[in-house]
């Protein structure tokens, strides 16, 4: 590349004759072959972000954003509407490979997350233009592949993406469920890949869990929403994956993202209007719900003593990990310098540790418990068995409460707690 | 919750029971959850914690079990159950039956011991070292430890852990303190871990594996034959560097001698090292441990003679080592079919021994010469200056017959023979070298001349003998030795000692250049440099420059006449007076030794005056002999002779003779600087042999009386007549 070209490919350096430069880029891109043009677009964006400090991310103007959108549409998504030919299956695979390798080779967290967001971030404009589908579709394929290939950089960017869209659960959940579908329903033999995810990208595992607990709430609280019993309960293989994740590293459920990554890269057009309930900020409470409510839920897929024992073991594992997470959270509170031991980019939000669980959460949970207990009692099955399950659920609940209080991870007044106690059936 | 102790007990017991119940149902997770809950409720209950430990132990999870056991031991040190468990550990360690359970217990006990070991170390080292950090350390070691279990004898475990720990400490030190050898990690490594590890019988050093030339690559292969000998060398190198840095940075050094070891030196570490055994003793002990581990039989044989605690002289240490060196060299030459690898290793040992001895002696010498440890009340510290005497007969020892070679100030002859490495230096300097410590140096230990010659010889050996040269060069590169500014003195003095005056001049001029950046605070050092330059020029027969430098040195003192100097002046003058008689005998012994005369004198004004007088006398005499009649020279000589009267009485009479032959003396400043009436009479009238004795006595009286008064005259003389003296 000569000097002029070098300059032109770095958008950050554009001062004058922007239309000329835009058309130069467009022309050079249109001249290059397929996977190269896509790679060039990503490299150009990386160069763009690289010229900025993480504290002050680039904020392209209208004209520039429109240009970026154009080339992204054309060379990444290959939207048919923009005049590009649709890709063959092989080419689709090539595209994924190009994107993966670009992200794997980019060393800066900030650049990766910024570019990723620029490529895949969803805006209200996208919804208007009907582009969400294609974005999510490509994302699904990309993440599926990244999980199998252990592309930790890409997964990390994806986790940030999920966190940034957590006010739009519909979009995030689409991706989440598609991954789960790929790995659990479609090709169950590939489960080990998913199990290893926590080692390669703990952030992604954490975000996935957050999505999963919303997908499988066990008790439906929104009246309007209809869920079949199949999806309302977490399937056993999924339980297995999650249990193995957090059993290895209980602090997985305490992770938060650094704010610089969450603001890297803005998009044209307004932010998405938030949906009624955003995704929870972390998986801890949802996992606790699983551990406490599973014994009470009537899971028709779990038949036979063997399966029952397995389900119980997995839930115990979950429960133990949650308790350990509380211990960890309080330990971090005591020694703030221990934060240094965390991976770069993962900051333990210590101020939050007092509010890991709130009284209102517990109240909700206890209400759901009662609801489930009433349901199963009404069905008048094996009374002894039900009592046993109720006891198990209450034991877990009480233990969690005790540890959370002892580690001061619970913000609740005595009265609030007493009112919760009163509603639950008696126990030691 | 319950207030009473027994209900407490019952409640915790109930929780433990629930945990056991869960275990019976094959649900260890549930059991652990119960126990964690119980522990948060009853943090002081032993039963709860023991149960949790038992679960991990029965599950054979070493890491967790050891951690819990360790925590319990901290909290309940007197529990019988725990001691019983310790007994189990011991039994497992001793038993020959390797069943699965005892194997596990073995591992457990080792990891547990390691906790204690680390804890002990970290308590010493760093109060901030929390248990968590400790666990993290063990975390990373234990993984390796389990991986190598099958290859290693069980006791070897503990060593393997410690070896791993050394790696971690080295890495951490390099990462956090890349340019500071004195850092907390290195201290842990050198003072705490290595002495333990090297003393352990279980550490096997593989001395046979020499083929691997990758000296600096760590030996991470988990092979049963032990660690590589290069690993041990690496430890030794790091230890030497650490202790030398400790020894050399602790002094409050005067300006111009910056410590060059980085600023972030932890003083508390150094203080601790110094308070303990001192760096040299500690280093020797470590060296001996290494020698034993590496199988340096010969070194071990003489180690007793090298022990710095035995207070032998450094020349004695040197002779032991150089004897061994020559012995090995001979063995190497004649015993080619023998165990060459063995010899090579011994040689490495000798190289290290010589290096350590060199560093120790050179530091002893340099810190005395630079007066790094003494601060005078006036704030002015006079360094010592190493000079070669500037009398004519010293330079050309064949010529001088009648005059005594020793200058007026007598010095004690401390060393001469013994340290000279046999058969090595004959070709170069056949003259015998004496380094004399002048009495005016005050309390300076006479042994430094010993230290000096040993360090010169050791330096020479390390830099010339091919077997050591590469290793030593690499070492000094690793340690940035060329940046140790305190070594400069040694290099200059060494060059003078070896008679390499030209090189010394180069060195000195370079040094002057850097000192002149701050002339005011470096005056002492500039003066010293000038005196040494003067010496070198004199030896190089450049009398003019020699005189120039001497007068420059004087000028430095004159420009800063502080009262403190006058005190020194008087004191040392009176010492001179007293010494005249007492050292008469020594004079004869010194003068009987033919050869160069090298001295250490304090770099004070009066010493420099005396030096300059001697230099000018020699140089003017030479000029007079070569130039023929020159009344100014004769006049100058007469003025100078007054200073040391009656030392060069003979010269004086020769001059009188000359004046008589010339029938007069034209010397324009005669009355300014010749301050004795008797002298004037003697010079003007001439002297006949008959009155010589009376005259001499009168003169002596006169000079003694006017002693205090003569130096100012002389100083003025030097200043006013500078042009003429240098012409």
């Amino acid at each position: 590349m000569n000097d002029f070209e070098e300059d032109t490919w770095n958008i950050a350096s554009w001062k004058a004759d922007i239309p000329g430069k835009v058309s130069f880029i467009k022309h050079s891109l249109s001249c290059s072959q397929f996977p190269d043009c896509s790679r060039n677009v990503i490299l150009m964006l990386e160069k763009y972000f690289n010229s900025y400090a993480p504290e002050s991310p680039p904020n392209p103007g209208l004209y520039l954003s429109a240009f970026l959108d154009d080339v992204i549409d054309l060379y990444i998504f290959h939207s048919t509407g923009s005049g590009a030919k649709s890709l063959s299956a092989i080419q689709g695979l090539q595209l994924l490979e190009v994107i993966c390798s670009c992200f794997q080779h980019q060393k800066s967290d900030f650049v990766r997350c910024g570019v990723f967001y620029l490529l895949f971030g969803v805006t209200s404009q996208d919804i208007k233009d009907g582009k969400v589908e294609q974005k999510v579709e490509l994302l699904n394929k990309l993440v599926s592949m990244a999980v199998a290939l252990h592309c930790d950089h890409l997964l990390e960017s994806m986790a940030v993406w999920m966190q940034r869209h957590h006010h739009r659960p519909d979009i995030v959940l689409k991706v989440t469920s598609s991954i789960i579908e790929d790995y659990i329903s479609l090709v169950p033999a590939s489960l080990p890949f998913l199990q290893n995810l926590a080692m390669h990208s703990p952030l992604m595992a954490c975000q996935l869990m957050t999505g999963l607990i919303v997908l499988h709430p066990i008790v439906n609280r929104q009246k309007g929403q209809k869920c079949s019993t199949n999806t309302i309960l977490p399937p056993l293989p999924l339980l297995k994956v999650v249990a193995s994740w957090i059993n290895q590293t209980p602090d997985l459920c305490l992770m938060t993202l650094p704010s610089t990554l969450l603001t890297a890269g803005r998009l044209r057009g307004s932010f998405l209007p938030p949906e009624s309930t955003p995704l929870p900020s972390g998986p801890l409470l949802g996992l606790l719900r699983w551990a406490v409510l599973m014994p009470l839920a009537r899971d028709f897929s779990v038949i036979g003593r063997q399966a029952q024992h397995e389900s119980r073991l997995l839930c115990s594992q979950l429960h133990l990990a949650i308790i350990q997470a509380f211990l960890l959270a309080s330990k971090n509170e005591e020694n703030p310098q221990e934060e240094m031991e965390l991976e770069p980019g993962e900051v333990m939000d210590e101020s939050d540790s007092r509010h890991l669980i709130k009284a209102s959460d517990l109240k909700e949970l206890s209400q759901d418990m009662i609801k489930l207990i009433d349901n199963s009692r009404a069905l008048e099955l094996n009374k002894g068995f039900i009592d046993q399950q109720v006891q198990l659920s209450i034991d877990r609940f009480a233990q969690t409460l005790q540890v959370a209080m002892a580690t001061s991870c619970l913000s609740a007044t005595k009265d609030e707690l007493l009112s919760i106690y009163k509603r639950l059936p008696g126990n030691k | 919750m319950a207030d009473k102790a027994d209900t407490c007990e019952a409640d915790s017991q109930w929780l433990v029971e629930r945990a056991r119940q869960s275990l019976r149902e094959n649900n260890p997770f549930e059991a652990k959850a119960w126990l964690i809950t119980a522990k948060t409720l009853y943090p002081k209950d032993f039963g709860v914690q023991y149960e949790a430990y038992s679960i991990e132990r029965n599950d054979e999870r070493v890491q967790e079990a050891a951690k819990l056991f360790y925590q319990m031991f901290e909290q309940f040190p007197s529990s019988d159950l725990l001691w019983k468990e310790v007994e189990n550990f011991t039994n497992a360690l001793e038993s020959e039956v390797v069943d699965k359970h005892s194997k596990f217990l073995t591992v457990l006990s080792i990891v547990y011991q390691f906790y204690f070991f680390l804890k002990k170390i970290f308590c010493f080292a760093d109060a901030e070292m929390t248990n968590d950090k400790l666990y993290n350390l063990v975390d990373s070691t234990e993984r390796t430890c389990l991986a190598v279990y099958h290859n290693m004898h069980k006791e070897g475990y503990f060593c393997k852990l410690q070896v791993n720990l050394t790696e971690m400490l080295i890495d951490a030190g390099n990462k956090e303190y890349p340019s500071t050898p004195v850092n907390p990690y290195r201290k842990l490594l050198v003072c705490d871990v290595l002495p333990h590890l090297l003393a352990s019988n279980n550490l096997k050093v593989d001395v046979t594996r020499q083929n691997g030339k990758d000296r600096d690559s760590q030996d991470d292969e988990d092979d049963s034959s032990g660690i590589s000998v290069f690993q041990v060398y690496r430890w030794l190198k790091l230890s030497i560097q650490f202790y030398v840095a400790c020894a050399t940075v602790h002094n409050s050094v005067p300006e111009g001698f910056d410590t060059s070891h980085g600023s972030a030196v932890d003083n508390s570490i150094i203080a601790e090292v110094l308070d303990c055994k001192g760096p040299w003793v500690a280093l020797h002990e470590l060296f001996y441990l290494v020698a034993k581990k590496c199988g340096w039989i010969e070194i071990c044989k003489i180690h007793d003679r090298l022990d710095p605690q035995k207070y032998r002289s450094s020349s004695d240490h040197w002779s032991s080592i150089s004897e061994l060196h020559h012995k090995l060299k001979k063995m190497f030459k004649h015993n080619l079919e023998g165990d060459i690898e063995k010899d090579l290793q011994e040689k490495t040992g000798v190289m290290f021994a010589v290096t350590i001895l060199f560093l120790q002696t050179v530091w002893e010498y340099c810190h005395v010469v630079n007066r790094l440890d003494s601060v005078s009340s006036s704030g002015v510290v006079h360094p010592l200056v190493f000079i070669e005497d500037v009398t004519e007969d010293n330079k050309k020892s064949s010529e001088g017959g009648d005059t005594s070679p020793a200058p007026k100030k007598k010095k004690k002859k401390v060393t001469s023979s013994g340290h000279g490495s046999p058969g090595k230096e004959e070709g170069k300097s056949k003259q015998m070298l004496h380094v004399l410590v002048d009495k005016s140096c005050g309390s300076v230990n006479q042994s430094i001349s010993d230290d000096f010659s040993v360090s010169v010889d050791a330096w020479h050996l390390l830099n010339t003998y091919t077997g050591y040269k590469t290793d030593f060069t690499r070492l000094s590169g690793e340690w940035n030795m060329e940046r140790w500014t305190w070594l400069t003195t040694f290099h200059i003095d060494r060059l003078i000692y070896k008679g390499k005056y030209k090189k010394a001049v180069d060195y000195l001029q370079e040094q002057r250049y850097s000192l002149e950046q701050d002339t005011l605070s470096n005056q002492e050092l500039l003066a010293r440099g000038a005196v040494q330059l003067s010496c070198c020029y004199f030896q190089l027969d450049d009398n003019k420059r020699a005189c120039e430098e001497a007068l420059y040195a004087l000028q430095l003192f004159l420009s800063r006449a502080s009262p403190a100097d006058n005190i020194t002046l008087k004191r040392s003058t009176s010492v001179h007076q007293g010494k005249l008689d007492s050292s008469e005998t020594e004079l004869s012994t010194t003068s009987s030794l033919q050869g160069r005369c090298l001295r250490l004198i304090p770099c004070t004004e009066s010493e420099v005056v005396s030096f300059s007088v001697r230099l000018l006398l020699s140089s003017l005499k030479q000029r007079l002999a070569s130039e023929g009649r020159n009344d100014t020279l004769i006049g100058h000589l007469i003025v100078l002779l007054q200073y040391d009267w009656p030392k060069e009485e003979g010269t004086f009479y020769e001059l009188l003779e000359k004046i008589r032959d010339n029938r007069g003396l034209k010397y324009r400043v005669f009355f300014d600087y010749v301050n004795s009436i008797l002298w004037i009479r003697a010079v003007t009238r001439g002297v006949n042999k008959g009155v010589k004795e009376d005259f001499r006595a009168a003169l002596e009286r006169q000079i003694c009386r006017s002693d205090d008064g003569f130096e100012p005259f002389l100083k003025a003389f030097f200043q006013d007549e500078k042009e003429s003296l240098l012409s």
Side-chain angles (χ1 to χ4, degrees), chain A residues 229-230 233-236 239 294-304 308 311:
Chain A
T229 35
N230 287 349
L233 298 179
L236 216 51
L239 209 56
M294 275 301 275
L296 306 172
R298 300 183 49 225
D299 191 345
F300 296 108
S301 65
V302 179
I303 303 158
Q308 262 172 14
S311 160

Side-chain angles (χ1 to χ4, degrees), chain A residues 320-332:
Chain A
L320 175 63
I322 291 164
I323 290 182
Q324 283 170 338
F326 285 137
L327 293 178
L328 281 174
S330 72
K331 198 182 262 174
N332 288 327

Side-chain angles (χ1 to χ4, degrees), chain A residues 309-321:
Chain A
H309 182 69
E310 198 185 344
S311 160
R312 180 171 170 174
L313 263 185
L314 290 174
C315 286
S316 296
Q317 220 171 333
L318 271 185
H319 179 236
L320 175 63

Side-chain angles (χ1 to χ4, degrees), chain B residues 190-191 195 198 236 239-240 242-243 246 272-274 276-290 307-309 356 360:
Chain B
V190 175
C191 305
L198 290 169
L236 181 59
S239 308
I240 297 174
F242 173 79
Y243 280 125
C246 279
E272 206 182 313
V273 170
L274 293 174
C276 203
K277 299 168 192 152
W280 302 114
V281 175
L283 180 56
H284 174 78
E285 282 173 9
L286 197 80
F287 176 67
Y288 182 47
L289 287 174
V290 169
D307 191 345
Q309 270 178 311
I356 293 173
Q360 187 180 354

Side-chain angles (χ1 to χ4, degrees), chain A residues 62-334:
Chain A
L62 257 185
Y63 184 78
L64 209 54
S65 317
F67 156 68
L68 292 179
D69 277 358
D70 274 357
V71 290
I72 290 171
D73 267 357
L74 204 57
Y75 298 105
I76 303 295
F77 294 107
H78 298 268
S79 326
T80 38
S82 51
K85 288 169 274 171
S86 59
L87 296 176
S88 68
I90 298 286
Q91 282 178 323
L93 219 61
Q94 270 181 312
L95 176 65
L96 295 181
E97 200 276 325
V98 164
I99 300 177
C100 263
S101 74
C102 280
F103 278 90
Q104 279 311 102
H105 290 110
Q106 175 55 248
K107 287 192 184 72
S108 151
D109 285 344
F110 161 72
V111 172
R112 275 197 313 265
C113 293
V115 173
F116 193 90
Y117 191 65
L118 209 58
L119 293 179
F120 298 105
V122 180
T123 62
S124 52
Q125 190 63 35
D126 290 333
I127 295 174
K128 230 179 269 169
D129 297 350
K131 282 184 189 163
V132 184
E133 277 304 310
Q134 61 174 20
K135 279 199 173 173
V136 172
E137 197 187 331
L138 185 58
L139 261 185
N140 285 345
K141 287 184 198 155
L142 198 57
V143 176
S144 249
M145 180 164 156
V147 170
L149 297 182
H150 308 314
C151 300
D152 43 352
H153 281 171
L154 191 99
L155 290 169
E156 214 86 320
S157 314
M158 182 63 197
V160 174
W161 181 93
M162 287 171 94
Q163 178 69 35
R164 290 182 81 167
H165 289 83
H166 87 286
H167 55 285
R168 288 301 299 251
D170 53 338
I171 300 170
V172 178
L173 292 183
K174 243 178 222 160
V175 181
T176 309
S177 53
S178 112
I179 297 171
I180 299 309
E181 192 152 323
D182 280 358
Y183 280 87
I184 290 182
S185 317
L186 223 55
V187 194
S190 61
L191 206 61
F193 285 114
L194 200 58
Q195 255 168 352
N196 288 334
L197 175 68
M199 279 180 344
H200 298 288
S201 174
L203 273 180
M204 183 62 186
C206 176
Q207 290 295 324
L208 267 185
M209 287 196 296
T210 313
L212 289 173
I213 54 171
V214 178
L215 279 177
H216 307 286
I218 301 184
V219 176
N220 235 335
R221 265 170 289 138
Q222 264 93 36
K223 292 257 160 59
Q225 242 171 303
K226 281 275 173 201
C227 279
S228 65
T229 35
N230 287 349
T231 61
I232 201 167
L233 298 179
L236 216 51
L238 185 60
L239 209 56
K240 207 181 206 161
V241 170
V242 173
S244 77
W245 282 351
I246 70 167
N247 208 46
Q248 281 164 8
T249 40
D251 48 0
L252 210 58
C253 22
L254 301 172
M255 277 176 177
T256 52
L257 289 161
S259 56
T260 48
L261 296 187
L262 289 175
T263 53
R266 300 245 175 78
L267 291 171
R268 181 168 62 104
S270 56
F271 247 44
L272 281 179
E275 275 195 342
S276 49
T277 28
L279 283 178
S281 56
L284 190 68
L285 185 68
L287 293 176
L288 177 62
R289 287 176 60 86
W290 280 11
V292 171
L293 297 180
M294 275 301 275
L296 306 172
R298 300 183 49 225
D299 191 345
F300 296 108
S301 65
V302 179
I303 303 158
R305 292 196 73 173
Q306 188 63 34
Q308 262 172 14
H309 182 69
E310 198 185 344
S311 160
R312 180 171 170 174
L313 263 185
L314 290 174
C315 286
S316 296
Q317 220 171 333
L318 271 185
H319 179 236
L320 175 63
I322 291 164
I323 290 182
Q324 283 170 338
F326 285 137
L327 293 178
L328 281 174
S330 72
K331 198 182 262 174
N332 288 327
E333 187 95 315
E334 282 164 27

Side-chain angles (χ1 to χ4, degrees), chain B residues 480-491:
Chain B
N480 265 325
M481 221 184 247
E482 76 277 9
R483 289 181 55 213
W484 298 359
T485 34
W486 55 267
L487 263 182
T488 320
T489 333
F490 165 73
H491 286 308

Side-chain angles (χ1 to χ4, degrees), chain B residues 518-529:
Chain B
D518 186 3
T519 321
L520 265 181
S521 54
N522 289 329
Q523 266 187 354
E524 266 76 24
L525 301 175
L526 278 170
R528 173 166 76 179

